[in-house]
Amino acid sequence: TRCTHRRQRQMCIRDRDGTLSSSVVLTGEAVWALPGVAWFGLRSPQIRLAVSDDGLPVRGSLEGQVSIGAEVYLKMDFPARGDTWLFQAWFPDDTPRSVSDFFQLAGGIDLKRALPAPLAAAAGIAVTAIDVIYDARAGEIESIGIKAASNHRWALIPGNRLALDGFEVEWLVALPGDLERRALSVTVRGRIGIGGGAIAVAGSVPGFVLRGALEPGGAILFADLVGLFYPGDAKPEISGEIRNLSLEVEPGGHPPFSLACDVTGDWPVALGGRVLFTVTGLGFGIEGFADRLNGRIHGAAEVLPGTKDAFSLELTAAYEGDQWAFSGRQTGGEISVVGLLTHFIAPDWKPCLLY
């Protein structure tokens, strides 16, 4: 191994098992501007090169300091993919960077104001990653992506326990140096933990609507989900897990919140300790407003099962005040009034044949 050192230059040559390799580190004190992008320059640039005679291409990196708003270091590994250069940021310390620090880097766009209204006022939004893509052929910044995260809790329904457990946001500024062609998109992601599972949500700006589905690998019991909306005694006695869940949150929409899912369990509906019928094929839906919740459970039931008077119903249960109110539509069989009376009221009663 032989190494030589000069000011702003270091070179090492090694011979390992007959393979000759060399590494070079070049540093400078000037500001190196990317061709065609005068407003974006790397201060104190450093180039690292690794060359060997094993047939592999030259490997290395280019990095430097950028002071546009907050101080940040950008690094590009090469060989690059054609004329597309990817610079990724790293910070010299662990101090969280505020989104407001990167106003200038994003081409003068106020990133926080671009967030949906419920999140724009959130505190503690810290930048976690920055990607800069440079088009060497066109001589322009193709895009700047900024990722941030916050542990801010966002209640999806005012005064309700259903809430986002923090969120992540990504701003993508296309062509930030071109005021005429510049475009901004914002994506928000998060999760809602419920029992042993979670709902993964995502939405984008413009036209912000937060949509969610079940997160793979977990399980949410129906009792845990419905317990977020209704108090203890109002929870229906339904066991089982939820499936095929869909969620939408649209601030200012009508309704601003909606959720629908299927339920794997059945619902035995009892009166006075006696099961009247069992609702199967269950589904649950709810719409949330600022002042009320409209919840519905739907399914099917067979009344007087196993008898000659059996018939089928399509049922809907709505929570009204402090109880569930049922409505139904007959879907099969014929309803026998005598059969209903003798089954539910007086088993020994028989109607007078004269009437």
Side-chain angles (χ1 to χ4, degrees):
T1 300
R2 185 180 66 193
C3 295
T4 58
H5 298 269
R6 298 288 189 273
R7 185 181 180 184
Q8 300 178 334
R9 182 182 67 196
Q10 176 182 332
M11 176 179 292
C12 290
I13 300 176
R14 296 179 175 87
D15 184 356
R16 293 180 178 175
D17 301 326
T19 299
L20 195 63
S21 64
S22 63
S23 61
V24 181
V25 179
L26 305 173
T27 59
E29 299 299 329
V31 176
W32 181 59
L34 296 177
V37 190
W39 59 274
F40 187 94
L42 298 176
R43 184 156 49 91
S44 301
Q46 183 179 91
I47 299 176
R48 296 177 179 270
L49 299 174
V51 185
S52 62
D53 63 356
D54 55 5
L56 295 175
V58 176
R59 301 172 300 281
S61 65
L62 165 65
E63 65 180 82
Q65 184 179 359
V66 179
S67 295
I68 301 180
E71 187 175 278
V72 64
Y73 288 84
L74 293 178
K75 179 181 178 181
M76 179 191 77
D77 293 323
F78 51 79
R81 297 180 58 182
D83 295 316
T84 301
W85 298 5
L86 170 62
F87 290 89
Q88 294 182 302
W90 60 275
F91 304 116
D93 52 52
D94 295 329
T95 304
R97 263 51 176 192
S98 169
V99 172
S100 304
D101 293 337
F102 298 96
F103 177 85
Q104 187 176 351
L105 180 63
I109 296 175
D110 190 335
L111 298 176
K112 201 167 185 182
R113 290 189 62 183
L115 287 173
L119 303 180
I125 303 178
V127 173
T128 57
I130 299 175
D131 290 344
V132 178
I133 297 180
Y134 172 70
D135 185 339
R137 175 174 293 183
E140 62 183 4
I141 301 292
E142 184 177 299
S143 67
I144 294 178
I146 300 175
K147 296 181 180 180
S150 171
N151 58 5
H152 175 78
R153 189 176 187 273
W154 175 24
L156 301 182
I157 303 176
N160 193 267
R161 289 183 292 167
L162 190 72
L164 222 60
D165 305 325
F167 63 91
E168 297 177 348
V169 59
E170 180 177 357
W171 296 266
L172 183 64
V173 185
L175 301 173
D178 191 322
L179 295 181
E180 294 184 358
R181 296 186 297 157
R182 184 176 65 188
L184 171 68
S185 64
V186 184
T187 302
V188 177
R189 295 182 178 86
R191 69 191 302 271
I192 306 166
I194 304 174
I199 302 173
V201 298
S204 59
V205 175
F208 181 72
V209 178
L210 196 67
R211 293 183 170 88
L214 288 175
E215 194 173 77
I220 299 177
L221 297 178
F222 178 73
D224 291 335
L225 175 66
V226 78
L228 296 174
F229 304 103
Y230 299 110
D233 293 340
K235 290 193 298 183
E237 296 297 325
I238 300 175
S239 62
E241 301 175 3
I242 63 174
R243 295 283 188 271
N244 305 320
L245 180 141
S246 63
L247 175 147
E248 284 196 3
V249 179
E250 183 179 4
H254 189 81
F257 171 88
S258 64
L259 179 148
C261 65
D262 297 330
V263 185
T264 60
D266 298 333
W267 185 6
V269 179
L271 180 63
R274 183 181 183 187
V275 176
L276 302 180
F277 50 82
T278 299
V279 186
T280 61
L282 291 169
F284 174 67
I286 192 165
E287 294 179 341
F289 298 86
D291 58 345
R292 70 186 188 279
L293 294 172
N294 294 339
R296 296 286 188 275
I297 298 174
H298 61 83
E302 186 179 26
V303 184
L304 306 180
T307 71
K308 62 181 181 60
D309 297 320
F311 62 93
S312 300
L313 291 176
E314 187 179 86
L315 290 171
T316 299
Y319 190 73
E320 299 178 354
D322 58 355
Q323 62 185 355
W324 291 94
F326 287 86
S327 61
R329 182 176 67 89
Q330 184 183 358
T331 57
E334 295 182 357
I335 297 178
S336 168
V337 176
V338 173
L340 288 173
L341 291 175
T342 56
H343 184 81
F344 290 114
I345 300 177
D348 297 330
W349 177 80
K350 300 296 180 184
C352 178
L353 298 178
L354 297 177
Y355 298 94

